Amino acid sequence: MATKKTTTAKPRAKATTASAAKDREHLGTGGELHQLAGVDSPALTTAHGHPVEDDNNSLRAGDRGPTLLSDHVLREKIFHFDHERIPERVVHARGYGAHGVFENYESLSDLTRASVFATAGKKTETFVRFSTVAGNLGSFDLARDVRGFATKFYTDEGNWDLVGNNIPVFFIQDAVKFPDLVHSVKEEPDRGFPQAQSAHDTFWDFASLMPESTHMTLWQMSDRAIPRSFRMMQGFGVHTFRFLDAAGASTFVKFHWTPVLGMQSVVWNEAVKINGADPDFHRRDLFDAITAGDFPQWELGVQVFDDAFADEFDFDVLDATKIIPEELVPVRPVGMMTLNRVVDNVFAEIEQVAFMTQNVPPGIDFSNDPLLQGRNFSYLDTQLKRLGSTNFSQLPVNAPRCPVAHFQRDGHMQTSTQPGRAAYEPNSFTGADRGPREVGPEGHVPFPAPVEGVTRRVRSESFADHYSQARQFWISQTDVEQDHIVDAYVFELGKCDVLAIRQRMVANLRNVDETLATRIADGLRMRLPDPSPAAAPLVETEPSAALSILANAKETFEGRKLGVLVGDGATAAAVSRLTKGVEKAGGTVDVIAVAVGGATLSDGSTLEADHAVAGAPSVLFDAVAVVTGPDGGSALADEPAARDFLTDAFTHFKVIGLAGDTDALVAAAGLDGKLDDACLPVGTAAEGKAFVARLAGPRKWDRSLTA
Ligand code: HDE
């Protein structure tokens, strides 16, 4: 069979090509198992540098005799292997990261003396780690979950760790409840499941007993919790922080990251299937984009406000279950972060990166948010536990890029050789000057906030309203998004075995919105319970457009992916036109065929595929096209994975392109007579162009899915 490649260029995705090239760099040419004298690759050595005679056979007495304990090469290798794992993070275990740079737009010296914001155009290196919260290290990327968005800025006055999430509020108000929250969402201790999901009794038991979590559960049940890509989600510092200027004057500040590619999420049924088809969907997406040179960007914005605003605001700015609506305090863009380098080693960088909220440079300080205050002593403990030594700040990914000067000495895994006779301060041996060294106001001076009141365990009354902002979130969503929220609550509560938990949660939600609660109760076929008593009366809020993903959707296909299922007899021109059009629009194209070897085109040539359709369901793509020839259509119709490819794309409201004889496949996919105006022909040049233009638009949200 002819397996010649077409000359009309195989429309490979850029990302695939770039990551494959990176792979090749490391592969070398050797395939020989044994170390051979004279080959180019360096001889293997032990960790102590001794050349190893033979890395494939252990030392044994006699060819078929016992292995000898004196084989220190074997012992060292296995010893290292046995110790290769460190404790995974207790939360945010599964994550992925990359290096980047932050560029500041203009001097913010009127607000803060932080050097990262000092001058226009100032560049600061960054490292970002995105994560899910509840799942273990080996869980899947598309769990319904909050995403961590942690950024380390290597500023020239020390590291600034902005350890945020993709949702601007949190479940709890006080750090003392954090272990309870996390224990409730993690796998249940008597059975070890379910992992990486909140859809079980213990989570909803806790949430329903802690009304302060209601607002966050609305965000969590929204499509925010199933993002299409790390590159397409927002990030938030969540807490109120302080900016301090050179004179020490304070302004409150909240931090926002906005993705340049726009926000986008997948639908739940799609998320479930992505987890099976590609559990690494988000990490692969980030890796592929960066290695292809499509560097993702986020704009950093700040909401700044003073004490007067804080005093007048309907909610407490120290309460992390509340936002400050952008209509009240607009987000001021201050700079752009670009992620431009993947890691060289996942363990060394992504696993060993140690974020700590207490890492703030001069000019940035904390508010009294009780959640933030609690975090500030938690993160140091966790790093010692995970990384095993107080010297974790010396690991390359954690080490400040600015000079460090202190007299902390020794400890496990001390990697720097600290010279000098004195390891104390003041001393007369280091530096030109003797005696204590103080930088004074140039150093990190905490805001001198007055403290008053008596010591007691208390939650401020100003934190009591748990429902008004939840309601604001709900009324700010489009109809489609409201449907998704209802479906998500119905799904999650439906996974709770204990009826009382479902009832209690719906009783709480009646305080948010009657329609929301009624729709959920209907979905669960449950009698509507009485509303639970609310701790504070509802405050009236206005819808905020900023809270909706769809209301802010960006008209673009940039960073998105088209999957083209190619059947035998397709014309090369139809496929390559789509590829060129999509690439011009900033997207990528993957070619899919029944077998990975490819499809035979109308001119007899073979178009090699990126994937066999059984391994590339349409959930992996933002939109799909089927391009086939006169005979290819029925062959595709006979292939179950090809049928699912089309059915799922349709059910997930995706834009679909069709060229050639696709009738048999459409019928086999159960879509006879159902195709709508988002199912477009792509056979001719004009059709291909119109299709590519349509890709920039939204999914076909009003598609009818009834039988
Ligand atoms: Fe965290 N959190 N957290 N957290 N958190 C951790 O630190 C903790 C909270 C967040 O990619 C841990 O290094 C407490 C809010 C992110 O490495 C741990 C409290 C927000 C990451 C920890 C909170 C976050 C973490 C686990 C309540 C959003 C991942 C491993 C007081 C603003 C960082 C680690 C990474 C990680 C404690 C609440 C975000 C155990 C005690 C609120 C993005 O120290």
Side-chain angles (χ1 to χ4, degrees):
M1 195 175 69
T3 53
K4 176 167 71 78
K5 272 193 158 186
T6 55
T7 42
T8 36
K10 190 178 102 46
R12 260 192 182 279
K14 274 190 288 172
T16 315
T17 317
S19 50
K22 185 174 156 71
D23 289 346
R24 275 196 301 275
E25 277 171 31
H26 300 290
L27 280 178
T29 50
E32 175 55 61
L33 272 180
H34 292 260
Q35 283 294 302
L36 297 179
V39 294
D40 287 344
S41 51
L44 294 183
T45 69
T46 64
H48 299 273
H50 315 120
V52 174
E53 171 211 11
D54 172 357
D55 178 57
N56 295 297
N57 301 292
S58 49
L59 197 64
R60 57 181 64 97
D63 289 2
R64 301 179 62 245
T67 300
L68 298 178
L69 205 56
S70 54
D71 186 351
H72 65 89
V73 175
L74 167 70
R75 161 105 170 96
E76 183 203 82
K77 191 171 174 181
I78 301 283
F79 155 82
H80 191 278
F81 173 78
D82 289 340
H83 295 269
E84 277 172 11
R85 289 292 171 272
I86 60 174
E88 65 176 41
R89 289 163 172 82
V90 57
V91 280
H92 297 268
R94 182 170 179 79
Y96 205 68
H99 297 271
V101 63
F102 173 77
E103 185 166 352
N104 187 45
Y105 290 158
E106 57 180 327
S107 171
L108 297 187
S109 56
D110 54 327
L111 292 171
T112 173
R113 53 145 306 191
S115 71
V116 61
F117 298 120
T119 49
K122 170 138 189 168
K123 290 187 179 165
T124 302
E125 283 182 59
T126 59
F127 184 83
V128 176
R129 185 174 181 274
F130 302 107
S131 49
T132 51
V133 180
N136 296 335
L137 188 60
S139 54
F140 35 84
D141 280 353
L142 253 296
R144 176 176 291 284
D145 201 352
V146 183
R147 298 297 182 289
F149 189 139
T151 309
K152 194 179 278 291
F153 296 77
Y154 302 95
T155 90
D156 39 33
E157 288 189 308
N159 292 348
W160 174 31
D161 293 353
L162 184 56
V163 195
N165 280 343
N166 76 329
I167 288 179
V169 289
F170 203 64
F171 292 102
I172 49 167
Q173 298 172 324
D174 188 317
V176 73
K177 297 313 296 169
F178 190 66
D180 301 297
L181 164 73
V182 174
H183 291 170
S184 80
V185 74
K186 283 271 185 181
E187 55 271 44
E188 298 181 14
D190 63 344
R191 58 204 69 185
F193 59 84
Q195 72 137 336
Q197 50 193 306
S198 51
H200 57 121
D201 284 288
T202 57
F203 173 73
W204 288 104
D205 187 30
F206 179 83
S208 61
L209 292 167
M210 294 289 293
E212 70 199 52
S213 66
T214 311
H215 185 195
M216 177 82 161
T217 68
L218 266 121
W219 286 80
Q220 182 201 5
M221 293 305 106
S222 80
D223 297 341
R224 301 263 175 172
I226 40 173
R228 153 68 177 87
S229 161
F230 295 138
R231 301 179 292 140
M232 297 168 203
M233 62 184 204
Q234 289 182 304
F236 302 92
V238 176
H239 312 280
T240 297
F241 291 85
R242 285 181 189 277
F243 269 159
L244 302 179
D245 70 12
S250 154
T251 319
F252 288 123
V253 57
K254 282 200 174 240
F255 296 102
H256 295 240
W257 290 112
T258 305
V260 168
L261 289 177
M263 274 187 279
Q264 194 177 312
S265 289
V266 299
V267 295
W268 175 240
N269 180 273
E270 196 182 3
V272 169
K273 292 174 177 171
I274 290 173
N275 285 331
D278 185 4
D280 305 312
F281 188 70
H282 281 155
R283 53 178 60 192
R284 188 189 308 280
D285 170 89
L286 189 69
F287 180 91
D288 280 352
I290 297 175
T291 50
D294 291 336
F295 300 146
Q297 293 187 305
W298 289 261
E299 186 168 66
L300 183 68
V302 294
Q303 282 181 299
V304 289
F305 53 95
D306 56 16
D307 288 280
F309 171 86
D311 293 342
E312 279 165 25
F313 185 47
D314 281 332
F315 309 96
D316 198 322
V317 299
L318 303 183
D319 174 356
T321 68
K322 305 296 187 298
I323 57 162
I324 296 181
E326 293 180 25
E327 288 74 14
L328 294 184
V329 181
V331 177
R332 170 178 168 188
V334 295
M336 183 71 83
M337 177 168 69
T338 307
L339 293 187
N340 54 16
R341 185 159 62 88
V342 294
V343 297
D344 289 318
N345 184 278
V346 170
F347 181 85
E349 297 167 89
I350 298 170
E351 198 55 19
Q352 294 201 120
V353 66
F355 291 99
M356 301 199 296
T357 49
Q358 63 274 38
N359 270 349
V360 288
I364 299 177
D365 202 8
F366 312 109
S367 70
N368 283 341
D369 174 342
L371 199 64
L372 177 59
Q373 299 271 320
R375 292 178 76 193
N376 284 347
F377 57 75
S378 163
Y379 287 70
L380 190 58
D381 284 336
T382 219
Q383 307 314 347
L384 178 62
K385 175 75 184 167
R386 282 194 324 110
L387 301 169
S389 159
T390 52
N391 290 318
F392 67 85
S393 60
Q394 296 177 10
L395 294 169
V397 70
N398 296 325
R401 305 286 194 261
C402 63
V404 293
H406 55 74
F407 291 105
Q408 285 140 27
R409 289 287 184 271
D410 309 341
H412 278 297
M413 296 296 161
Q414 176 59 255
T415 57
S416 72
T417 306
Q418 297 164 308
R421 191 168 167 190
Y424 56 89
E425 174 76 3
N427 72 70
S428 4
F429 295 97
T430 53
D433 299 326
R434 300 174 45 190
R437 280 172 292 182
E438 288 158 4
V439 284
E442 294 292 296
H444 188 278
V445 184
F447 180 68
V451 177
E452 57 184 51
V454 295
T455 304
R456 63 186 178 127
R457 295 189 185 278
V458 69
R459 189 78 57 95
S460 166
E461 269 305 309
S462 54
F463 283 41
D465 178 353
H466 303 316
Y467 298 119
S468 300
Q469 282 207 349
R471 177 177 174 74
Q472 181 180 37
F473 182 76
W474 167 252
I475 60 174
S476 303
Q477 304 302 308
T478 60
D479 290 350
V480 171
E481 291 169 303
Q482 287 194 341
D483 290 348
H484 292 178
I485 291 172
V486 170
D487 290 348
Y489 274 112
V490 170
F491 174 87
E492 298 253 328
L493 294 175
K495 291 277 182 184
C496 296
D497 299 332
V498 180
L499 178 62
I501 293 175
R502 288 183 224 154
Q503 284 171 329
R504 202 188 300 132
M505 197 59 215
V506 177
N508 289 352
L509 291 170
R510 284 195 71 178
N511 292 311
V512 176
D513 185 88
E514 284 293 352
T515 313
L516 168 68
T518 310
R519 289 181 64 186
I520 297 170
D522 287 350
L524 292 165
R525 295 271 166 93
M526 187 182 100
R527 191 185 57 78
L528 196 63
D530 292 336
S532 54
L538 224 60
V539 169
E540 205 167 313
T541 52
E542 295 293 319
S544 163
L547 302 182
S548 155
I549 297 178
L550 292 184
N552 293 287
K554 200 167 173 180
E555 288 265 313
T556 184
F557 200 65
E558 201 184 338
R560 276 70 166 176
K561 211 181 219 186
L562 176 72
V564 184
L565 175 59
V566 182
D568 288 341
T571 62
V575 181
S576 74
R577 272 198 301 262
L578 288 182
T579 307
K580 283 193 194 125
V582 166
E583 287 181 355
K584 203 163 155 218
T588 51
V589 174
D590 276 6
V591 170
I592 303 137
V594 169
V596 74
T600 307
L601 299 180
S602 57
D603 61 4
S605 64
T606 297
L607 179 65
E608 209 181 285
D610 296 293
H611 317 273
V613 67
S618 59
V619 293
L620 301 182
F621 307 101
D622 297 280
V624 300
V626 180
V627 181
T628 187
D631 305 326
S634 47
L636 290 178
D638 288 342
E639 175 63 40
R643 300 200 292 260
D644 289 350
F645 185 87
L646 201 57
T647 313
D648 271 351
F650 188 83
T651 311
H652 299 145
F653 310 98
K654 289 177 183 171
V655 175
I656 296 172
L658 296 165
D661 180 14
T662 54
D663 289 354
L665 178 65
V666 168
L671 302 179
D672 236 357
K674 290 188 174 177
L675 300 185
D676 51 35
D677 61 2
C679 304
L680 300 165
V682 291
T684 68
E687 289 167 350
K689 208 168 162 194
F691 173 74
V692 172
R694 174 63 183 84
L695 292 179
R699 292 193 191 191
K700 175 72 180 163
W701 291 118
D702 59 355
R703 175 172 285 163
S704 165
L705 298 183
T706 48

